[in-house]
């Protein structure tokens, strides 16, 4: 009886359980479309945010050479982005890396010499691993996330390519520009004192602003003049 009495006392002391209340949905219309797509709880809600068939098409002819979720919202949640372009005759993509994505680089016409250095990887002799390949039409190469890489078109005609990335916003870092963004003292010590202040400033000032440069030897072979990119 004492046990039953105790249970009754506890039951009276506890507040009555409130009836379940529906959770009010927040109005997300003031958020960017990409944010709305990320917060969509169902596929039905997602497709309502992309009501037009044209929302699922990206036109490289007029919308730009790089498609990310920022300029093609339908990519939101897909985990990929895409690029299409041409490496001009005698052109070299400036040494760069993609800190947020792996790249699949596919060649559709022409020829490209590719070099890639993977991050923190050595070969059997303990030296830095390098991957150098020659691509022709119908071939694809892989640049793992964070790897340093470049492509060179050694011929007199453009080389057309597409590139797929394993992130909706892959980002690109130009190695020389980022390196010489450090102070002179840091760079002097990094190079073991072999480069002094005035040399650092000269090198810093000679870094091209463009992500693309022209190869002098190729220009001579093709009878082309060097021009600003």
């Amino acid at each position: 009886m004492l046990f039953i009495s105790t249970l009754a006392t506890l039951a009276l002391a506890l507040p009555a359980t409130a009836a379940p209340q529906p959770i009010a949905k927040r109005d997300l219309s003031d958020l960017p479309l990409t944010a709305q797509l990320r917060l969509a709880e169902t596929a039905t809600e997602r497709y309502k945010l992309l009501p037009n068939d044209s929302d699922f098409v990206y036109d490289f002819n007029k919308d730009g050479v790089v498609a990310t979720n920022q300029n093609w919202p339908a990519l939101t949640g897909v985990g990929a982005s895409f690029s299409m372009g041409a490496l001009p005759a005698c052109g070299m993509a400036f040494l760069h890396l993609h800190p947020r994505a792996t790249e699949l680089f596919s060649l559709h016409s022409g020829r490209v010499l590719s070099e890639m250095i993977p991050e923190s990887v050595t070969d059997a002799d303990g030296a830095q691993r390098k991957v150098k390949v020659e691509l022709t039409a119908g071939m694809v190469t892989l640049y793992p996330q964070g790897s340093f890489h470049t492509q060179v078109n050694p011929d007199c005609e453009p080389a057309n390519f597409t590139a797929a990335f394993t992130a909706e916003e892959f980002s690109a870092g130009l190695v020389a520009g980022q390196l010489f963004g450090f102070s002179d003292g840091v760079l002097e010590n990094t190079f073991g004192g072999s480069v002094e202040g005035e040399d650092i400033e000269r090198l810093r000032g000679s870094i091209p602003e463009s992500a693309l440069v022209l190869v002098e030897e190729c220009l001579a072979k093709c009878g082309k003049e060097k021009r600003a990119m």
Side-chain angles (χ1 to χ4, degrees):
M1 290 295 294
L2 178 60
F3 176 72
I4 295 174
S5 176
T6 301
L7 285 178
T9 302
L10 287 172
L12 291 172
L14 292 173
T17 303
Q21 297 294 320
I23 299 175
K25 284 200 172 184
R26 177 186 169 192
D27 181 9
L28 303 178
S29 60
D30 58 330
L31 296 177
L33 179 55
T34 51
Q36 295 182 53
L37 288 165
R38 291 192 190 283
L39 294 171
E41 295 180 352
T42 65
T44 299
E45 290 184 10
R46 176 182 172 84
Y47 278 87
K48 283 181 179 179
L49 293 167
L50 302 167
N52 304 310
D53 292 351
S54 59
D55 291 330
F56 295 88
V57 175
Y58 186 88
D59 189 347
F60 284 100
N61 296 303
K62 63 180 182 180
D63 295 331
V65 298
V66 177
T68 71
N69 69 334
Q70 297 301 299
N71 56 10
W72 190 18
L75 282 178
T76 302
V78 174
S81 50
F82 204 77
S83 177
M84 180 181 291
L87 194 58
C90 303
M92 184 186 88
F94 217 50
L95 184 61
H96 64 286
L97 58 84
H98 304 296
R100 302 175 190 142
T102 290
E103 176 183 1
L104 291 166
F105 181 90
S106 175
L107 197 63
H108 302 288
S109 70
R111 184 168 64 110
V112 161
L113 307 178
S114 165
E115 290 194 35
M116 184 268 288
I117 294 182
E119 183 181 12
S120 304
V121 176
T122 55
D123 60 19
D125 298 322
Q128 173 66 58
R129 178 68 191 276
K130 304 185 192 78
V131 178
K132 299 175 67 173
V133 296
E134 179 176 327
L135 303 174
T136 55
M139 299 176 70
V140 60
T141 191
L142 174 72
Y143 302 122
Q145 181 175 348
S147 62
F148 298 94
H149 58 276
T150 184
Q151 303 96 9
V152 179
N153 177 0
D155 297 326
C156 306
E157 299 297 330
N160 294 288
F161 68 88
T162 55
F165 301 88
T166 59
E168 296 157 22
E169 185 188 0
F170 56 88
S171 183
L174 299 181
V175 176
Q178 291 185 323
L179 173 62
F180 280 86
F182 284 101
S183 64
D184 289 2
V186 170
L187 291 170
E188 287 177 14
N189 288 315
T190 297
F191 289 102
S194 61
V195 183
E196 298 181 352
E198 60 184 33
D199 294 324
I200 289 174
E201 195 56 41
R202 177 178 55 81
L203 289 169
R204 185 182 283 128
S206 64
I207 297 172
E209 294 183 2
S210 171
L212 192 66
V213 294
L214 294 173
V215 180
E216 297 278 3
E217 183 180 351
C218 175
L219 290 171
K221 176 187 75 172
C222 297
K224 295 179 178 289
E225 293 183 3
K226 189 169 185 178
R227 63 192 184 282
M229 298 303 295

